[in-house]
Amino acid sequence: MQLNETIARQIVERSMKIIPYSVNVMDEFGRIIGSGDPTRLRQRHEGSILAIAEQRVVAIDSATAQHLKGVKPGINFPIIYQDKVIGVIGISGEPDNVQQYGELVKMTAELIVEQAALMSQVEWHKRHREELVMQLIQGAPLDDGQIRVIAERLELDLTKPRIAAVVQVMSDDDHAPLSLANLQQLVHLLEFPERDNLVGILSVSTNEVVVLKPIELTKSGWSVENERKRVTKLLKRVRQLGKFKIRMALGDYFSGPDGLSKSYQTAKLTLDAIDDQDGEVFFYQNHRLPVLLSSLFEESWKVEQIKEPFDLLLQKDSKGALVKTLKAFFAQNCDACQTCQTLHIHRNTLRYRLERIEEITSLNINNLDDKLHLYLALKLFGH
């Protein structure tokens, strides 16, 4: 820990609120880096050099001060941090007059130093946790030596299975723009209570946060329902805060050294692929097909080709019965009996509607390629 001008200024301001004398703070080289008398800044203080070298209190009266450079009468106390002298705090005035304030001022200085060291450590941890998250989602392998060293210093267990989640923060009030403080509030909600989440602000411009969440693996994989319960609690806490709202997508689990990068990609693609109006929380497993096909949207003519059957249905299906029937048919895995029960219609009605769909789209619902085309058109565009 080193004294700097910011810490020295805090020590001077705090001390001079307590005592009626000017206070100086010197660094480990005996230079004045904080003072109640600005004209003395950056001067070399020989009394403090003696206090540092001999690690003792040095009192200087008027007679002695005349023989030392940059020194006025006063008393100088070494500032100790972790059993090491890191600087000196001096009180200007005749030693007999200022002696009584010495220990109080020294204690004030050392408390401020300890607080600054603690804050520095907290900032170090925060900065390196975010840096670690960014490296992992960008594909840095878990077994990379540098990653392992950082994780050990942060006391993080990267062997735990994790999935990535991407959270987008949105304003709860159209007239109140989002701020960095809102993102930081969300990060706090994700980190506390402590669940070993690794959290980083992904982008301030898009208001997105990434979370690497620990999961429990079983023979059948990981439990979406368990994560859904945790997410529900998070949504409740966000609503209670009442300052913003969120959309959240959770990726799949992938083993291997680059598993977190793949999980992040599935989460990000899911959030980007799903329409804003479809809800607040999305699991990649429930939207796998549209997410995997999302790259098709990069070329408009492909989109038009896939969407064409759905557009034709919309033109001819003014009451929406045909689209509703086709959705139910696919939802029931093309089981005619189950579809009729779901829609409360006669089998002949279902047959008529399916034939009408074939007539409008020129696609044969009993042909696998045509059926897949209809399914994709409905799945991708039939929100």
Side-chain angles (χ1 to χ4, degrees):
M1 179 67 187
Q2 285 185 317
L3 284 176
N4 56 42
E5 291 187 5
T6 300
I7 298 173
R9 186 165 56 249
Q10 291 177 10
I11 293 172
V12 169
E13 290 174 356
R14 189 83 58 85
S15 299
M16 290 181 63
K17 286 181 179 178
I18 302 172
I19 66 172
Y21 294 93
S22 182
V23 172
N24 301 308
V25 175
M26 283 67 73
D27 64 14
E28 72 270 31
F29 303 110
R31 293 174 302 200
I32 300 176
I33 57 174
S35 177
D37 179 1
T39 62
R40 301 189 67 188
L41 287 172
R42 297 177 183 80
Q43 292 181 10
R44 188 176 174 85
H45 192 288
E46 291 188 356
S48 67
I49 293 173
L50 183 62
I52 293 169
E54 299 185 3
Q55 298 188 23
R56 66 179 179 86
V57 178
V58 174
I60 301 172
D61 57 23
S62 298
T64 306
Q66 294 178 5
H67 302 287
L68 296 174
K69 187 177 180 180
V71 175
K72 291 183 178 182
I75 190 164
N76 300 280
F77 294 81
I79 300 174
I80 311 295
Y81 177 73
Q82 294 184 345
D83 299 323
K84 181 181 177 183
V85 178
I86 62 170
V88 174
I89 183 165
I91 309 173
S92 298
E94 289 299 329
D96 290 342
N97 297 332
V98 299
Q99 176 76 43
Q100 57 182 318
Y101 300 109
E103 287 301 325
L104 176 61
V105 170
K106 181 178 185 296
M107 182 177 67
T108 300
E110 290 177 350
L111 284 174
I112 291 174
V113 167
E114 288 179 9
Q115 184 181 39
L118 179 61
M119 290 302 296
S120 177
Q121 186 177 24
V122 168
E123 285 299 317
W124 186 93
H125 275 74
K126 186 177 185 303
R127 184 172 66 254
H128 281 79
R129 282 174 75 97
E130 283 204 344
E131 182 181 327
L132 182 65
V133 169
M134 295 304 130
Q135 290 190 39
L136 290 173
I137 66 174
Q138 289 168 11
L142 291 172
D143 55 1
D144 179 86
Q146 184 181 3
I147 295 292
R148 190 166 56 247
V149 168
I150 294 175
E152 288 174 356
R153 288 191 66 182
L154 293 172
E155 299 181 345
L156 296 174
D157 183 2
L158 294 184
T159 64
K160 287 183 178 180
R162 298 174 186 269
I163 60 168
V166 178
V167 189
Q168 184 180 42
V169 185
M170 299 171 292
S171 176
D172 206 23
D173 182 349
D174 294 337
H175 302 291
L178 287 169
S179 65
L180 179 59
N182 295 136
L183 291 179
Q184 291 170 337
Q185 285 176 317
L186 176 62
V187 169
H188 182 80
L189 290 177
L190 292 165
E191 289 181 334
F192 299 99
E194 178 61 51
R195 291 198 179 93
D196 204 21
N197 287 338
L198 297 179
V199 187
I201 295 177
L202 192 61
S203 169
V204 175
S205 61
T206 58
N207 300 310
E208 290 180 345
V209 171
V210 64
V211 194
L212 304 182
K213 300 168 56 64
I215 55 170
E216 294 181 10
L217 287 179
T218 63
K219 291 182 180 179
S220 58
W222 62 283
S223 173
V224 170
E225 285 309 309
N226 284 347
E227 289 306 314
R228 195 182 299 278
K229 291 175 183 176
R230 294 189 179 101
V231 171
T232 300
K233 291 180 181 178
L234 173 64
L235 289 172
K236 184 177 179 181
R237 294 171 66 204
V238 168
R239 293 187 189 111
Q240 288 174 341
L241 195 60
K243 295 184 178 180
F244 53 82
K245 54 188 177 181
I246 64 172
R247 292 175 72 238
M248 182 176 188
L250 293 89
D252 203 356
Y253 171 73
F254 296 86
S255 59
D258 62 345
L260 287 174
S261 176
K262 292 177 181 176
S263 183
Y264 163 72
Q265 291 177 51
T266 57
K268 186 73 171 76
L269 285 171
T270 301
L271 193 67
D272 292 343
I274 305 304
D275 190 88
D276 288 359
Q277 306 302 317
D278 286 347
E280 295 175 293
V281 181
F282 315 99
F283 286 82
Y284 166 72
Q285 288 86 336
N286 299 335
H287 302 276
R288 193 186 303 266
L289 190 58
V291 171
L292 291 175
L293 295 174
S294 60
S295 62
L296 290 172
F297 291 90
E298 296 173 3
E299 298 184 68
S300 60
W301 70 270
K302 291 182 179 180
V303 175
E304 292 171 1
Q305 288 286 296
I306 293 177
K307 190 180 178 184
E308 184 180 29
F310 182 68
D311 287 338
L312 291 170
L313 280 178
L314 290 181
Q315 292 172 16
K316 302 290 185 178
D317 185 27
S318 59
K319 295 183 179 180
L322 297 180
V323 171
K324 181 180 178 181
T325 299
L326 194 57
K327 284 184 177 181
F329 185 63
F330 286 134
Q332 300 303 322
N333 297 310
C334 304
D335 186 309
C337 183
Q338 289 290 333
T339 303
C340 290
Q341 290 180 13
T342 300
L343 296 175
H344 306 290
I345 59 175
H346 192 272
R347 192 178 185 90
N348 289 338
T349 303
L350 175 62
R351 184 183 298 113
Y352 166 77
R353 290 181 181 177
L354 293 178
E355 289 174 355
R356 180 68 177 138
I357 290 170
E358 290 179 333
E359 180 185 336
I360 293 171
T361 63
S362 301
L363 295 174
N364 183 350
I365 208 162
N366 292 314
N367 176 281
L368 186 58
D369 284 351
D370 288 357
K371 182 181 290 186
L372 178 60
H373 193 169
L374 274 171
Y375 177 75
L376 289 177
L378 202 64
K379 189 73 174 175
L380 294 175
F381 306 105
H383 298 304

